[in-house]
Structure formats: structure tokens, C-alpha cells
Amino acid sequence: MTVLVPGIEGRSACTEERLLIVGLGLIGGSLAAALRSSGFNGQIVACDPNADEVALGKEMGLIDSGGTELAELLENVSMAVLAVPVLAMESVMKTLAGSLSAAAPNVVITDVGSTKATVRECAEAVFGCVPSNMVLGHPIAGSEKSGVSAANPSLYLNHKVILTPEPDVLLDALVRVKTLWQACGAEVLQMSVERHDQVLARTSHLPHLLAFSLVDTLARQDERLDIFRYAAGGFRDFTRIAGSDPVMWRDIFIANRDAVLSSLDDFEAGLARLRQAIECGDSDALIATFDRASHARHYFDTLLNKTSYQAEYHMQPHGKVTYRVRPGGQAQGRLRVPGDKSMSHRSIMLGALAEGVTEVKGFLEGEDSLATLQAFREMGVAIEGPHQGRVTIHGVGMHGLKPPAGPLYVGNSGTAMRLFAGLLAGQAFDSELTGDESLTKRPMGRVADPLRLMGVAIDTAEGGRPPLKIHGGAALKGIDYDMPMASAQVKSCLLLAGMYAEGETRVREPAPTRDHTERMLNGFGYPVSREGDTCWLQGGGKLTAGTIDVPSDISSATFFLVAAAITPGADITLEHVGINPTRIGVINILTLMGADLTLENEREVGGEPVADIRIRYAPLNGIDIPVEQVPLAIDEFPALFIAAANARGTTRLRGAEELRVKESDRIQAMADGLATLGVEHTVVEDGIDIIGNGNDQVPSYGGGRIDSLGDHRIAMAFAIAALRAGDDIIIEDCANVATSFPDFVALVQRIGMSINVGGDNV
Ligand code: S3P
């Protein structure tokens, strides 16, 4: 009797096959067991040199028939799975080649070998080339147990199977092999033979080698010291795989020699660095390595658990996150929203380049700022934390960064990419900056062009888009630059590059933009001057570490300011919010619209003004938004559009073309969403007119399904809109809310709204 395994039961789509498993060990036996569990009712035949294994396979109900002579078992076989050790492949293939005529006409051959180049070579030696009905593959699953008695129907469930098909493979063969593994509950991937062997050398073969080696080394000493007796959990965890099948692993190391040796070289170099650090008592180097490793390990966990973490963007698209927000609800309470994103990025950047140790409080643990933090770790900076917003950065000085091993990934963040561009332009090494899909569409010419004027060699992809390749070692010279757009990111990029340039770097802005870079540089003892619309600094200075207290982000607070502004009876206080004069456009605009908003407990924290903002409901009126307020509220417009949709009369925005090149085209994305809700509006190139219903109509608008286009602020704005909607608002593609506001949903619930988070069918 076969037990059905939940997760694979009923998956089988290959009941027509007559399957021959060559080699009925753990891997072959588990394949049979998994197929049986999935409801497969085709024939399973097995061939194994050990007659007892075949008999046991039959007794366990895994196979229908079998034997020890391959040539005798091929009749009518439609698919053969070669589950023998890699070094035995050649002789198996020879037998197959001699007797294949007995098999069904469209027979498919596949294998489970742990190295692929050797198996491909075997096929080439035996058949002249890899036959087009042969699909090489490798299930990434195993156990230190062996033999058919250890067959496990769940062995492949949620594991990966890598197929390495040749370019001329028959599509039918590829699909059938894929279906076979999917029926076992596996996730099937494809890659080239070469890549497979390199990846496996690093992720599987090397750790096995280390485990074998460590246990063997200690076992020899054990003869004298009896130390296994005292070995605890760490030893057990690290060495579990040393119990694996010696013959199989001998074959793997011989078969994948070159890739294993190259991964071993890298490992030995790393070990030598650690040895040296221990020898010299270099605690910074030890912390840097362990910290990087520890974070990489957490990242690995989140990948496995498919939870969100900044670096997950690197490897795979986010799982879909959808919000369903019920109409109505309340807007009440005292809240503290997370730390300011702009300041969090800058705190890490300047802290890393400073001399001494910088302590940061209130750091935003969102995916974007975590990506910045990780990028500095990859450049050799020791960073402790974040632990509840606290980060300790062991600065390496202006010239202490190390070349990263690969491209630096900055996630969704235009700020990070543009600021990094300036900072990396001053380094002696080459670097590359990449980001997620949304960032890849955003314009980088605005920083690449002026950096080139400073003497930087920088390449972009077509149309000035990411990735950015920065050639290090250039002699930078200061420039006097009139920014064509009001951009704090461009200004900051040039000031950071200016620190490495000869002479003075001056930047003129067409309208005031956020000045956190200037304030923080001054705070780190690097003088930046300002007169009117121009700021400047001299190259060649240095930064001195200090403490940074990051206030709450007014851009995140905005969603709750608007929530209270549109909800009758609302009363919300947001604590410890940064109210830097270059950021308070939203306060000015809401006040002009008639919002009842007061600043309490105003104070200065670490060079930045901070206050608690209290906002109570009062009816809003449409206004013409003063154009000088636009750069001061640039990130707040998605939420302000919702305020406008609830105001009496028309709100008119102009001079906001920059909104079109944010994480999405925010004018169009908001207009599309407003259209879904039934809010009247007219879009123009640099703005929008929104005709609000005021309180004349309750609800103000309907509900519907909105595409946030992966833009965090579009998603959050429409979530808040539900307070005055007549029906549910369903918002798609919300995973990126975690880039700036990881606990948004919890706070939305806290003020009295009902929001559910789920996948596609929330
Ligand atoms: C930012 C500047 C602004 C803003 C962004 C953060 C910064 O961008 O939209 O979210 O931290 O310097 P621009 O400089 O492109 O206006």
C-alpha cells in the first residue's frame, strides 16, 4: 500500500510512461516512491546490479518489476532515468546504445548525476553527441542514508531539480522530464551544464569536502583525545553531511575536478584571511567577515522561507503581495512611523567613509536602506546591526573601501544608486551598480552627465539607464553645475564626488531641495557652504565619525496625516517626525487645504528639526498647489492626491514632471487608480487637476482593483483612500511597501482600518 504524500498527491501528469529507473538506490527509489505517491499509475521498472535491492523495491510496492540486466529490461520503456553514480554512466549508456531498439519509439533518457559535464562527455563518447531525446538533470536533494530501503516519497517535495538541456533538445523530451519531476513536488529550473557544475561545486561539493575533511581530521586526533565525546550541536550541524556515501562523493570530486578546485582556492584564500586576522588580533577584520557571513546566512534563510528581505530582489521576483482594504474605518491614535529613508541611506554612506565609529539610532530597517548597508559590507565595512534601529558603523576613512566582488545591488532605490554613483566615482577601483526592475527604467543620465564633466568614466545602459559602470582611479576635478531639475539626489551625488575632486564643487538648484546631505556632512566635520541657491565644498577633506539620530520619515507620516485629514472625527498624533524645512511641503499644502494640523514639542535632534504632528479632521478645500512647494513635497503627492479626491472643488498641481520618473510614473499611476475609483480628474504633462467631492457625497468614491505598479507610495496612498471609499479597494503588487515602510499594515490596522494582506486572491 502506498501512502499518499500531501503536496504531491494528484500531481502526476505522466501516467502513460513506462519508466525504467537504472540504479535503485536512495535517489532512484525515492523517485519511484514519489511517483507512486503522486498517483502515477504507469509502469515502473528498475534495474540494479544488486538483486536484493530490486526485490526490496518490489516488496515495498515501489516498482512493478525489475532485474539486474539492463539490456533485458528495455522492452517498451518510454523513459529511462539513469540514477547510477557518475562514473558508472558510461557503461550504462553503452548498454543503452546497443539495445535501445527495444524501447518505445519516442523514448526519453534523463539522469540524476551530480555533475553534468562528465555525464555530457559520456553521452558524446557513446552516442557521438548528446542525443536530442536526452535531457540531463540533477535533483538537488539527498540524504546521508543510502539504498532503496531509505526511499522517501517526500525527498523531492519543494526541492529544486536542475535540468541542463542541450540547445537542440526535443521539446517533447524536455516537457516530459519536467513533468516527471514536477509530479514529485519539485521545482524545475534550467541552466547550462557549465553553470550547473560551478554552482554545485560551491554550494554542495565544497561543503561536503569540508565536512569530510573536518571529521576525518578530528577523528584522527580523537584516537588520542577522545574529543568526539565532548562535541556539541555546532559540530553535529556542520558535519551531518560527512555521513554521506563515500563512493558517490569520490566520483563527484573526480568528475567535477576543475570547478571544485577553483571553489577550494577561493575558500582557502578566505580561510587564510581569517587565520591572519586571528593571528594579528585584527578584530575589525573578524567582525567584518562574520557580520557579512551572518547577514548572508539570514538572507539565505529568508530565501528558503520565501520571506522578504532586501537581497531577495537579487535572486527572484517578489511573491505577489496584494492588499484588500475594507471601506471606512477610523483614524485615531498616537503613532511613530519608521526612520527617514533619505537620512538612513546617508548615515550609512557617511559613517562608512568616516574615521572612527558612528552610532546610528532610528535607522529605517526597510529593504532599500538595508540594501545600502549590505553594499558597504560588500566593500569591507564592518557594520553591526541593525538591531531595533541601532546601527554601529566602523568607518574605514575616505579611501578605505575595498573593491566589491561583484555588482552592488541597490534594490528599488534611485537615491542609493545616484548617491553611490558620486561616492564610487572617487574610489580607486571599478564598480557596477544594479537595481530592481523599476530602478532599471529610471534615468541616470542626470548624474552620469555631470560626473563625466568632473572627469569620471561612467557607462550606462541605453538611454542613460542602469546598470551604471564606474571606472575607478580617475583624477576628479570640481565643477560649477547648474542643475536642470530640482533634485536632491543629483546635488548629493555631486557633493559626494566633490569630496574626492580637486578644488571646489558648486551645485546650483533651480528650487530648494532636501538638504540632508549638506547637514550631515557638516555634522561629520566636512564643511559645506551655502549662499542662496548654491552650495559648495572643497575636495580633499575628511569625515569624522559621530552619532546620528534619525527622526521618523515625514514621507511615511504623510499617509496618516492624509488619513486623519479625510476622515470625519479623526485625531492622530505622529511622534518624532523630521520637519526639516526642505521636507514640509505636505504640511504646508494640507494646511492650505484647510487641514487642522499642529506641531507640538518642536525640538532639534542631531542637527535636524523634529516635532510631534497632531492632525484632526476638518473639511478640506481644493487649491492650486504653489509651485515652490512641489520639490518640498515631491514624495508626498500620491497621498496628497487622495486628500484632493476628498476635498471640495478642484486641486490643481503643475510643475511636477519629476513625478513621472519616480518608482513609477506617479501622475499616470495615480490617475489610473483614481479613474478606477471614479474620481474625476484631468492629467497634463507636468501635473493633474483632481475634482474632489468634499463631504457632499459619502462615500466620496467607489472601490475597485488598483495596480500599484510595484510603487510603494502608490500602494500606500490607495490603502488610505479606502477610509472614504464605498467598496473594498484591492491593491496589487504591494511587496515594495517594505522598501520604505515595513510595518505599514500593522499601523493601518492600529488606527482603526481593516486591511488584509495576501497573494493573488486575498
Ligand atoms: C531623495 C530625493 C528625492 C526624493 C527621493 C529621496 C533623496 O528625489 O524623491 O525619494 O534622498 O535625496 P529627487 O532628488 O530625484 O527629487
Side-chain angles (χ1 to χ4, degrees):
M1 238 296 279
T2 318
V3 182
L4 295 182
V5 174
I8 58 179
E9 176 187 352
R11 278 174 182 263
S12 181
C14 47
T15 47
E16 299 300 302
E17 304 281 9
R18 181 177 166 86
L19 186 72
L20 170 65
I21 298 175
V22 186
L24 194 62
L26 170 79
I27 297 291
S30 297
L31 172 61
L35 288 173
R36 288 289 188 229
S37 258
S38 75
F40 176 90
N41 51 15
Q43 293 285 304
I44 303 182
V45 183
C47 174
D48 197 278
N50 183 344
D52 291 344
E53 289 285 274
V54 177
L56 185 56
K58 269 199 261 181
E59 208 180 298
M60 291 167 72
L62 301 180
I63 59 173
D64 298 294
S65 57
T68 54
E69 292 304 318
L70 181 55
E72 291 167 13
L73 296 166
L74 284 168
E75 200 171 342
N76 289 330
V77 158
S78 65
M79 185 183 292
V81 181
L82 314 188
V84 296
V86 175
L87 297 189
M89 284 291 174
E90 188 161 347
S91 75
V92 170
M93 283 191 201
K94 275 187 183 147
T95 317
L96 271 185
S99 338
L100 262 183
S101 50
N106 58 349
V107 63
V108 170
I109 305 169
T110 186
D111 80 314
V112 300
S114 318
T115 65
K116 301 281 42 124
T118 350
V119 180
R120 183 173 61 184
E121 278 161 28
C122 287
E124 285 164 350
V126 173
F127 299 97
C129 66
V130 179
S132 55
N133 60 343
M134 181 180 272
V135 184
L136 300 184
H138 177 203
I140 315 289
S143 157
E144 58 285 2
K145 299 190 191 120
S146 49
V148 71
S149 59
N152 169 7
S154 313
L155 190 67
Y156 306 112
L157 184 61
N158 299 326
H159 280 244
K160 292 188 171 57
V161 172
I162 301 176
L163 301 182
T164 60
E166 296 297 300
D168 60 350
V169 70
L170 287 174
L171 190 59
D172 172 61
L174 184 57
V175 170
R176 280 164 59 196
V177 175
K178 205 170 160 187
T179 311
L180 177 86
W181 287 114
Q182 283 170 340
C184 302
E187 180 193 352
V188 182
L189 311 171
Q190 264 176 246
M191 61 176 71
S192 71
V193 164
E194 289 70 22
R195 175 141 177 79
H196 168 275
D197 285 0
Q198 279 162 5
V199 168
L200 266 290
R202 285 174 162 72
T203 55
S204 166
H205 307 172
L206 180 63
H208 276 86
L209 193 74
L210 302 183
F212 281 127
S213 166
L214 178 65
V215 175
D216 180 51
T217 308
L218 295 193
R220 288 170 192 225
Q221 294 172 0
D222 200 40
E223 284 163 18
R224 281 173 286 130
L225 297 175
D226 201 18
I227 53 179
F228 280 155
R229 208 177 277 283
Y230 308 105
F235 178 79
R236 195 177 314 122
D237 288 349
F238 186 85
T239 57
R240 178 181 58 79
I241 49 182
S244 306
D245 179 3
V247 175
M248 179 177 100
W249 281 98
R250 176 205 59 193
D251 290 1
I252 288 173
F253 288 115
I254 289 176
N256 202 21
R257 175 179 180 273
D258 293 348
V260 167
L261 288 180
S262 123
S263 71
L264 196 56
D265 286 345
D266 292 345
F267 177 76
E268 280 177 349
L271 203 58
R273 281 195 296 275
L274 278 180
R275 185 180 206 294
Q276 165 92 4
I278 295 171
E279 211 168 273
C280 316
D282 184 348
S283 81
D284 280 357
L286 290 174
I287 275 285
T289 308
F290 298 160
D291 220 51
R292 263 200 314 273
S294 154
H295 282 81
R297 187 64 180 74
H298 287 304
Y299 159 53
F300 176 65
D301 265 348
T302 55
L303 258 189
L304 287 182
N305 300 334
K306 297 224 182 348
T307 56
S308 184
Y309 182 85
Q310 54 91 10
E312 193 182 339
Y313 288 97
H314 260 305
M315 316 289 286
Q316 59 174 55
H318 267 293
K320 284 271 172 256
V321 174
T322 306
Y323 292 168
R324 176 184 285 270
V325 198
R326 301 269 175 228
Q330 295 184 4
Q332 298 286 344
R334 274 187 92 83
L335 308 175
R336 186 156 177 162
V337 299
D340 187 276
K341 185 144 90 98
S342 293
M343 286 185 235
S344 294
H345 283 303
R346 287 160 171 84
S347 68
I348 301 295
M349 293 180 174
L350 300 192
L353 296 177
E355 285 168 24
V357 177
T358 293
E359 303 278 357
V360 183
K361 234 168 73 182
F363 179 78
L364 165 66
E365 294 184 39
E367 292 180 340
D368 275 359
S369 35
L370 288 171
T372 290
L373 201 146
Q374 190 66 18
F376 279 101
R377 287 195 169 114
E378 286 169 30
M379 291 190 284
V381 181
I383 303 175
E384 295 167 57
H387 303 296
Q388 275 148 9
R390 288 184 181 267
V391 182
T392 304
I393 309 156
H394 298 258
V396 295
M398 296 297 287
H399 299 282
L401 294 180
K402 305 241 169 59
L408 295 169
Y409 179 80
V410 296
N412 189 245
S413 174
T415 306
M417 183 163 282
R418 296 185 180 121
L419 269 59
F420 264 120
L423 185 158
L424 292 169
Q427 308 305 318
F429 50 82
D430 294 351
S431 50
E432 182 174 342
L433 290 164
T434 64
D436 72 1
E437 200 190 325
S438 139
L439 187 54
T440 305
K441 295 183 196 136
R442 296 180 65 187
M444 294 296 146
R446 55 179 60 197
V447 288
D449 293 342
L451 284 175
R452 287 186 188 116
L453 296 176
M454 296 180 81
V456 181
I458 178 167
D459 308 324
T460 65
E462 217 181 294
R465 311 284 154 185
L468 295 182
K469 288 189 179 144
I470 300 155
H471 303 274
L476 272 53
K477 42 190 190 311
I479 52 169
D480 187 340
Y481 191 65
D482 268 342
M483 279 196 299
M485 72 291 288
S487 167
Q489 296 178 0
V490 176
K491 172 177 66 176
S492 305
C493 164
L494 300 181
L495 291 176
L496 293 178
M499 299 194 297
Y500 291 93
E502 191 193 321
E504 193 171 274
T505 298
R506 299 176 75 88
V507 187
R508 193 165 305 112
E509 44 191 7
T513 66
R514 64 190 69 187
D515 62 0
H516 304 302
T517 305
E518 298 93 299
R519 284 175 187 250
M520 215 180 271
L521 279 171
N522 280 320
F524 274 83
Y526 200 118
V528 184
S529 313
R530 171 171 286 273
E531 219 180 272
D533 57 5
T534 305
C535 60
W536 68 93
L537 54 67
Q538 295 288 335
K542 66 171 191 154
L543 299 164
T544 309
T547 54
I548 298 176
D549 192 339
V550 179
S552 290
D553 198 328
I554 192 165
S555 300
S556 300
T558 291
F559 299 102
F560 296 96
L561 296 179
V562 170
I566 64 173
T567 309
D571 185 353
I572 287 185
T573 300
L574 291 144
E575 295 171 353
H576 200 71
V577 182
I579 52 160
N580 178 312
T582 59
R583 296 287 296 281
I584 53 168
V586 60
I587 295 182
N588 300 335
I589 293 168
L590 282 176
T591 305
L592 282 174
M593 292 175 84
D596 177 5
L597 187 154
T598 46
L599 299 184
E600 296 172 355
N601 195 11
E602 281 187 63
R603 57 216 181 264
E604 191 165 305
V605 177
E608 291 276 353
V610 170
D612 300 337
I613 308 177
R614 180 166 188 196
I615 179 159
R616 280 167 286 191
Y617 174 74
L620 299 178
N621 295 307
I623 58 164
D624 283 2
I625 295 175
V627 76
E628 73 279 2
Q629 294 297 322
V630 171
L632 312 184
I634 194 68
D635 292 337
E636 286 63 82
F637 283 109
L640 283 169
F641 286 10
I642 301 302
N646 288 285
R648 181 192 301 273
T650 302
T651 297
R652 183 168 290 116
L653 170 69
R654 293 294 181 274
E657 56 280 347
E658 276 295 300
L659 288 181
R660 294 208 179 262
V661 290
K662 293 296 178 190
E663 285 83 328
S664 66
D665 173 346
R666 284 185 175 159
I667 295 179
Q668 199 53 52
M670 286 303 298
D672 291 345
L674 290 174
T676 302
L677 302 187
V679 176
E680 232 183 292
H681 62 276
T682 311
V683 171
V684 294
E685 192 43 40
D686 66 339
I688 193 167
D689 292 347
I690 296 170
I691 298 131
N693 277 324
N695 261 342
D696 300 342
Q697 206 176 303
V698 178
S700 290
Y701 33 71
R705 189 171 273 273
I706 309 267
D707 187 353
S708 78
L709 300 171
D711 183 331
H712 54 140
R713 299 202 197 280
I714 304 293
M716 291 188 275
F718 281 108
I720 293 304
L723 282 162
R724 292 282 299 270
D727 208 342
D728 285 6
I729 298 185
I730 299 134
I731 311 159
E732 292 174 348
D733 212 356
C734 298
N736 279 344
V737 167
T739 61
S740 66
F741 203 154
D743 44 353
F744 174 71
V745 168
L747 291 190
V748 165
Q749 285 163 339
R750 177 117 75 86
I751 64 166
M753 293 181 69
S754 164
I755 178 169
N756 288 323
V757 185
D760 281 334
N761 4 309
V762 59

